[in-house]
Amino acid sequence: EPNLKYALYLGDIYEKLDMGGIKNYLIQKAQKEYKEKFDELKEQNDEMEKLELKIRAQTELTVSLVDNTVKSFTEEVANSKPTPLSILGGVYVGTLLNGQRSGIGKYVDPSGETYIGQWKRDKKDGFGYEFSASFDFEYKGQYSNGKKDGIGEAKFNGSNKNTYKGYFKNDSFEGDGIKEYLDGGKYVGNYENNFRSGKGRCTYANGDYFIGYFERSEKIKGTVYFKKDEGIFEAVWEEHKDQKNEVGNGVYYHKDKRSEKTEIYYDLP
């Protein structure tokens, strides 16, 4: 036979606990937690936006200076019609100093790769424009001692079709840079010897983005924002054994329900 007294006691307890109120409390707590994470992520995203604008402005100025250098040289050659010189199997048109390329000139090497720009002691030095014979690669920017060094823009027009704007050192991406991909993806942040390194932001073609830290171009620690459901996933990352995905272990913050610990696989960019 049911214990009526005990049943009434439980009913009284549930009424006092107000289960609907607890549910609302948990939802409000989750929403507050989500907002805090969203605000943190927005602050970091704003920081990356400022960095991107800075890099673009610096690159645009450098490319403009290169274009002016090339235009000035082209006009001068058209007027003076200098005699081409054979140097190292290629053809050079431009100024010399003590028998070495110095000042402004154009050199086409035996493979058809062309450089137009400033020279110093027989090496590319200053502002210049370089492109391959098939135009599958182009670079406009700064050089030092024969290598890409400083700010510039590199376009890879072959099968990859991506663009890099930012800093170079010894012919490599080094320092702050932006790399834009054919599918609409983009990376903004630090590079070290051509690898994403330190802090950066990856934006994917579907609108998701990751802000965090990289080592040799792999995610180490950071946060993914998922555009579809506005979820925020804060995690540590490692490459999956299939080497086609990265796996994150962390906490997923939902916009309107409690957060949860989870593991997420994400395609390598």
Side-chain angles (χ1 to χ4, degrees), residues 154-211:
K155 292 182 179 180
F156 303 88
N157 302 317
S159 58
N160 288 330
K161 286 186 172 58
N162 53 65
T163 302
Y164 173 84
K165 296 176 175 135
Y167 285 85
F168 291 78
K169 191 170 185 63
N170 293 326
D171 282 340
S172 298
F173 306 154
E174 187 84 21
D176 293 332
I178 303 167
K179 196 164 188 183
E180 296 173 287
Y181 299 87
L182 180 63
D183 67 358
K186 178 174 61 177
Y187 171 80
V188 178
N190 191 64
Y191 278 89
E192 187 175 322
N193 195 28
N194 286 332
F195 291 103
R196 286 174 293 202
S197 182
K199 192 170 185 179
R201 179 188 68 191
C202 268
T203 304
Y204 300 89
N206 63 1
D208 296 350
Y209 64 85
F210 168 86
I211 297 178

Side-chain angles (χ1 to χ4, degrees), residues 144-158:
S144 180
N145 200 32
K147 296 183 181 294
K148 300 174 189 68
D149 198 302
I151 302 173
E153 177 181 54
K155 292 182 179 180
F156 303 88
N157 302 317

Side-chain angles (χ1 to χ4, degrees), residues 1-257:
E1 185 176 342
N3 188 327
L4 183 59
K5 186 177 180 181
Y6 184 68
L8 290 170
Y9 170 75
L10 286 178
D12 185 51
I13 290 294
Y14 280 117
E15 186 178 350
K16 287 181 179 178
L17 285 174
D18 181 12
M19 298 306 287
I22 289 175
K23 184 179 179 181
N24 288 336
Y25 166 75
L26 292 175
I27 291 174
Q28 289 172 8
K29 183 181 178 183
Q31 289 173 338
K32 181 181 178 182
E33 194 175 47
Y34 174 87
K35 186 178 183 306
E36 288 173 353
K37 292 298 177 182
F38 182 85
D39 289 344
E40 287 176 13
L41 192 59
K42 183 179 183 303
E43 186 176 332
Q44 292 184 64
N45 194 43
D46 289 345
E47 178 188 326
M48 300 312 296
E49 289 287 345
K50 288 178 183 176
L51 177 61
E52 182 176 352
L53 288 172
K54 178 182 176 183
I55 296 168
R56 288 189 185 281
Q58 291 173 331
T59 305
E60 186 178 328
L61 176 60
T62 300
V63 168
S64 175
L65 291 170
V66 171
D67 287 341
N68 289 338
T69 299
V70 172
K71 181 182 178 183
S72 174
F73 171 77
T74 304
E75 290 173 350
E76 184 179 333
V77 168
N79 292 328
S80 61
K81 296 181 174 55
T83 302
L85 301 173
S86 178
I87 298 177
L88 300 174
V91 178
Y92 176 74
V93 175
T95 56
L96 297 170
L97 180 64
N98 298 326
Q100 295 182 322
R101 290 166 289 184
S102 189
I104 300 178
K106 173 182 178 180
Y107 179 67
V108 182
D109 74 11
S111 72
E113 186 172 293
T114 302
Y115 172 81
I116 306 170
Q118 297 175 321
W119 296 80
K120 185 177 181 181
R121 297 191 183 95
D122 228 23
K123 292 183 179 180
K124 304 165 188 172
D125 200 293
F127 296 105
Y129 174 39
E130 180 181 343
F131 54 91
S132 62
S134 60
F135 278 94
D136 60 354
F137 173 77
E138 294 179 76
Y139 173 78
K140 291 181 180 181
Q142 295 175 302
Y143 289 81
S144 180
N145 200 32
K147 296 183 181 294
K148 300 174 189 68
D149 198 302
I151 302 173
E153 177 181 54
K155 292 182 179 180
F156 303 88
N157 302 317
S159 58
N160 288 330
K161 286 186 172 58
N162 53 65
T163 302
Y164 173 84
K165 296 176 175 135
Y167 285 85
F168 291 78
K169 191 170 185 63
N170 293 326
D171 282 340
S172 298
F173 306 154
E174 187 84 21
D176 293 332
I178 303 167
K179 196 164 188 183
E180 296 173 287
Y181 299 87
L182 180 63
D183 67 358
K186 178 174 61 177
Y187 171 80
V188 178
N190 191 64
Y191 278 89
E192 187 175 322
N193 195 28
N194 286 332
F195 291 103
R196 286 174 293 202
S197 182
K199 192 170 185 179
R201 179 188 68 191
C202 268
T203 304
Y204 300 89
N206 63 1
D208 296 350
Y209 64 85
F210 168 86
I211 297 178
Y213 293 87
F214 295 81
E215 187 176 297
R216 293 186 67 81
S217 291
E218 294 180 5
K219 299 184 189 75
I220 299 299
K221 181 180 179 181
T223 305
V224 175
Y225 175 79
F226 292 95
K227 184 180 179 181
K228 186 176 181 180
D229 67 352
E230 299 182 70
I232 295 172
F233 182 53
E234 195 174 74
V236 292
W237 296 81
E238 60 183 18
E239 185 178 319
H240 190 249
K241 60 184 178 182
D242 66 7
Q243 297 184 333
K244 295 178 181 178
N245 297 277
E246 291 175 312
V247 58
N249 288 283
V251 179
Y252 197 103
Y253 296 91
H254 299 275
K255 191 175 182 180
D256 53 6
K257 62 181 180 180

